[in-house]
Amino acid sequence: MSNMILFNGFARYVTTVFSCCIFFLFLIFPASKLSHAEPLTREAFVTLLQNTHPIFEKERLTSAIEQAEQQSNLGEVDWNLSSSLTWSREESTIAVFSPDLTNALSLETGVNKQFWDTGGRLSATYSLNRTSSSFEAAPLFSYPERFYENSIELQYSQPLLRNWGGKLTRLEYDLKAYDVDVAVIQAEENIEDFLTESISKYLDWVYLEEQKRIIERRLHLSRKEYERAKSKFNAFLVDSVDVIRAQDALNTWKQNLGLVDSQLSALKAELSVLVQASTILTGTPDFNLYDLRLPRSLVSARAKLQDSSRVLRIFELREEQLDVGATGVKETGKPDLSLIAAVTAKNAEENGWDSFNLEKKDAAIGLQLSLPIENRTAKANYQRNRLQVLQLEKDREDVFLSLDASLSSLHAQMMRLNGVLKLNREQIESARLRTIEEIKIYEQGRGDLTFVIMSRDNEESAKLTYAENALNYQKLWLQYQALMDELYEEEQGARSSALRAQE
């Protein structure tokens, strides 16, 4: 009795120590580390892509580059500073009327600016000159040996016909704005294509997991049939052929499971690299493969495609860009008539300080005209521009026909496949009822195990076919969303909702 008491006490001590160890393990390793990773929804999968894959930032940089190029055109209206320093030496050939040798040092600096609103240009120039002269013989008249000259000039040139209102000055900037808009749209198109391909792989993952679940269930039933056949054979209730048949069925489904496992492992490895998250290797997807959405009517879808397709919007922007370019071509064909006005304040003295007293004033105003006689360049450029517009319209019609054909094909396939899926569900139910009846007949000794196995195989095959058709439908729906430009918008909306929920 005492030994029993000692043994019970020791057992309680060991149990207490073991419980404490488990408690400390839970303190050291959080429950999130010990538990399996949470199932990954489609929205979470896309979020991982957007957070880790470089294509999203790369496409955003494309539009940023175009914007930077557009901003570079603003240099046309910057203040420009110019400066020059010149020294010259000149010997005269007629010494009677001019110095034999003249040395001159001049400094000139100025600023100028183009104005977009008017197309005019303003310039301000300051110049300082120092001139020294030498004579071998006395000059006929008084001539200073050294003098200084200062001047400040303001000049403004205003176009009156060509580039009136600065149309040509800001033309490149205005044209580049369309390239920026196109780059933004094209980036969204590229991202949507990438999402279509990536989500399609996610759907493959969902399908393989569903296929594995169906095969595992069939393998479990095959194993039970095999064990039951062996028991009946040992009890001399069935022939050995039933055991062999059950074992063949078991091995077949084991092979099927192994094949699916290999495909699943390869796909999960690819997805883990794609989203740069190793949790996919041990995780499972959270997506209802059989939750099907029907597309809108073909007439409504075609109208939406016509009105809001990104691809067609690119053609519209390019046509608008050509129209703006045509305005510029017309502008270059106009005569170049400019009004030029200038005012100068200056002075020249033998004393350098006195020369800064700018008491002499000059003023000038005039018109400058440059007129191309035949203007063949502008005419040819305008004709080319109009032909490009016609070509662009035909391209747009061609692309719309392709989009419309794809839409009609996808719509027809989804509507037909939706009917096939209903038949699949009916087939599954029919196969299930047949399996029940075959089992009853076999248990009564009036049937053959082969029919039971075939009936179970037909039931599981119907489920696999249903899953495969559901996958095909989901991929068609994915392509339909991408074609209608709804996929990227939907994922962006889902991500925004998730971020708001986290806040």
Side-chain angles (χ1 to χ4, degrees):
M1 180 65 70
S2 60
N3 291 336
M4 182 63 69
I5 293 173
L6 289 174
F7 177 78
N8 291 336
F10 179 75
R12 285 195 298 272
Y13 172 76
V14 172
T15 303
T16 303
V17 172
F18 181 75
S19 300
C20 292
C21 291
I22 295 296
F23 176 75
F24 282 112
L25 283 174
F26 273 97
L27 289 178
I28 296 173
F29 300 102
S32 60
K33 299 291 185 180
L34 296 176
S35 61
H36 294 290
E38 293 184 0
L40 188 68
T41 63
R42 171 177 150 170
E43 291 76 15
F45 174 78
V46 173
T47 300
L48 282 176
L49 277 177
Q50 293 177 333
N51 291 338
T52 60
H53 203 281
I55 190 174
F56 296 92
E57 187 63 24
K58 184 198 77 171
E59 294 299 336
R60 295 187 188 100
L61 287 175
T62 302
S63 59
I65 291 171
E66 293 291 341
Q67 288 178 344
E69 290 184 7
Q70 183 192 23
Q71 294 300 312
S72 68
N73 290 290
L74 293 176
E76 293 291 330
V77 293
D78 287 342
W79 284 98
N80 294 305
L81 174 66
S82 61
S83 182
S84 64
L85 179 63
T86 307
W87 174 84
S88 65
R89 181 179 183 276
E90 182 180 354
E91 293 184 0
S92 176
T93 57
I94 306 177
V96 177
F97 300 103
S98 60
D100 300 291
L101 179 65
T102 302
N103 290 314
L105 181 65
S106 63
L107 171 66
E108 184 175 294
T109 183
V111 293
N112 63 84
K113 178 179 175 59
Q114 182 89 35
F115 294 95
W116 276 20
D117 294 337
T118 64
R121 179 176 292 273
L122 174 68
S123 63
T125 305
Y126 168 76
S127 64
L128 170 63
N129 297 285
R130 175 185 177 276
T131 304
S132 61
S133 306
S134 61
F135 299 86
E136 292 183 358
L140 297 177
F141 50 87
S142 176
Y143 196 95
E145 293 185 358
R146 179 179 298 175
F147 66 92
Y148 297 86
E149 184 178 12
N150 276 284
S151 67
I152 296 178
E153 180 184 27
L154 289 177
Q155 179 175 305
Y156 182 76
S157 174
Q158 174 60 48
L160 301 178
L161 293 176
R162 182 192 300 176
N163 198 31
W164 170 258
K167 294 177 182 178
L168 292 178
T169 305
R170 61 174 181 271
L171 179 63
E172 291 299 323
Y173 182 87
D174 293 340
L175 291 176
K176 200 62 183 178
Y178 292 97
D179 292 337
V180 174
D181 293 339
V182 169
V184 172
I185 296 175
Q186 190 61 57
E188 292 179 354
E189 277 293 297
N190 294 339
I191 290 175
E192 192 164 59
D193 291 342
F194 173 75
L195 286 176
T196 303
E197 181 181 355
S198 301
I199 296 175
S200 179
K201 293 178 181 179
Y202 174 84
L203 293 176
D204 288 334
W205 182 23
V206 174
Y207 167 69
L208 287 176
E209 290 286 358
E210 177 67 9
Q211 192 177 20
K212 181 180 178 180
R213 184 189 66 81
I214 294 172
I215 292 176
E216 284 178 340
R217 178 181 177 278
R218 181 64 184 95
L219 182 61
H220 174 70
L221 294 176
S222 296
R223 188 173 286 111
K224 288 177 63 176
E225 288 173 354
Y226 174 66
E227 296 296 334
R228 185 167 55 179
K230 285 200 303 183
S231 299
K232 287 186 175 183
F233 174 74
N234 293 332
F236 303 101
L237 297 176
V238 296
D239 296 330
S240 60
V241 69
D242 283 351
V243 179
I244 296 173
R245 288 168 179 166
Q247 188 174 16
D248 286 343
L250 178 62
N251 292 334
T252 298
W253 288 103
K254 282 182 178 180
Q255 293 172 13
N256 293 338
L257 182 61
L259 179 61
V260 171
D261 273 333
S262 66
Q263 295 174 348
L264 190 57
S265 298
L267 181 59
K268 290 169 73 172
E270 179 183 358
L271 292 177
S272 67
V273 174
L274 186 65
V275 301
Q276 301 179 36
S278 58
T279 52
I280 287 186
L281 297 174
T282 57
T284 55
D286 182 11
F287 184 82
N288 187 357
L289 192 63
Y290 307 107
D291 183 14
L292 308 179
R293 289 183 285 178
L294 292 176
R296 66 183 73 195
S297 68
L298 187 57
V299 174
S300 176
R302 184 177 288 115
K304 183 178 184 298
L305 188 67
Q306 177 76 31
D307 294 337
S308 60
S309 171
R310 289 197 203 99
V311 177
L312 299 182
R313 175 57 182 160
I314 290 177
F315 283 100
E316 293 174 2
L317 288 173
R318 289 304 185 195
E319 187 171 348
E320 293 174 10
Q321 186 181 36
L322 286 174
D323 288 338
V324 173
T327 303
V329 172
K330 287 182 178 180
E331 198 69 18
T332 59
K334 294 179 179 180
D336 185 7
L337 178 62
S338 298
L339 174 67
I340 301 174
V343 177
T344 305
K346 62 182 181 178
N347 196 15
E349 297 288 346
E350 295 184 35
N351 187 301
W353 292 109
D354 293 339
S355 67
F356 286 98
N357 183 17
L358 307 177
E359 56 186 12
K360 306 296 183 182
K361 306 292 190 298
D362 293 339
I365 187 170
L367 293 173
Q368 181 177 327
L369 176 64
S370 175
L371 177 63
I373 301 300
E374 297 185 25
N375 209 6
R376 288 184 292 182
T377 300
K379 291 178 181 178
N381 287 337
Y382 184 78
Q383 183 180 11
R384 182 189 62 179
N385 182 281
R386 294 298 87 189
L387 291 174
Q388 288 175 332
V389 171
L390 291 176
Q391 184 185 44
L392 200 63
E393 291 176 353
K394 297 304 177 183
D395 284 343
R396 185 186 186 280
E397 293 176 7
D398 180 27
V399 170
F400 175 71
L401 287 176
S402 298
L403 293 175
D404 192 16
S406 299
L407 174 63
S408 301
S409 175
L410 288 172
H411 194 277
Q413 288 183 74
M414 283 189 289
M415 298 307 294
R416 297 293 186 273
L417 192 54
N418 187 58
V420 172
L421 289 168
K422 292 180 180 179
L423 294 176
N424 287 151
R425 290 190 289 269
E426 295 175 2
Q427 184 182 14
I428 292 172
E429 180 63 18
S430 175
R432 186 185 68 83
L433 295 176
R434 178 184 172 185
T435 300
I436 294 174
E437 294 302 320
E438 291 289 354
I439 292 174
K440 286 181 181 179
I441 295 174
Y442 177 69
E443 293 294 338
Q444 294 172 1
R446 296 185 296 111
D448 197 309
L449 181 61
T450 302
F451 297 112
V452 176
I453 294 174
M454 289 177 58
S455 181
R456 287 193 185 279
D457 288 346
N458 288 336
E459 183 180 351
E460 302 308 320
S461 296
K463 292 179 180 178
L464 291 172
T465 301
Y466 181 46
E468 183 178 0
N469 288 336
L471 170 68
N472 293 332
Y473 188 94
Q474 294 289 355
K475 288 189 174 183
L476 289 173
W477 176 257
L478 189 66
Q479 296 173 28
Y480 171 80
Q481 283 188 300
L483 181 67
M484 300 298 295
D485 296 331
E486 297 174 351
L487 179 62
Y488 181 67
E489 295 177 359
E490 179 181 284
E491 297 301 336
Q492 288 295 100
R495 187 182 187 191
S496 300
S497 300
L499 292 176
R500 287 195 297 270
Q502 290 177 0
E503 294 175 356

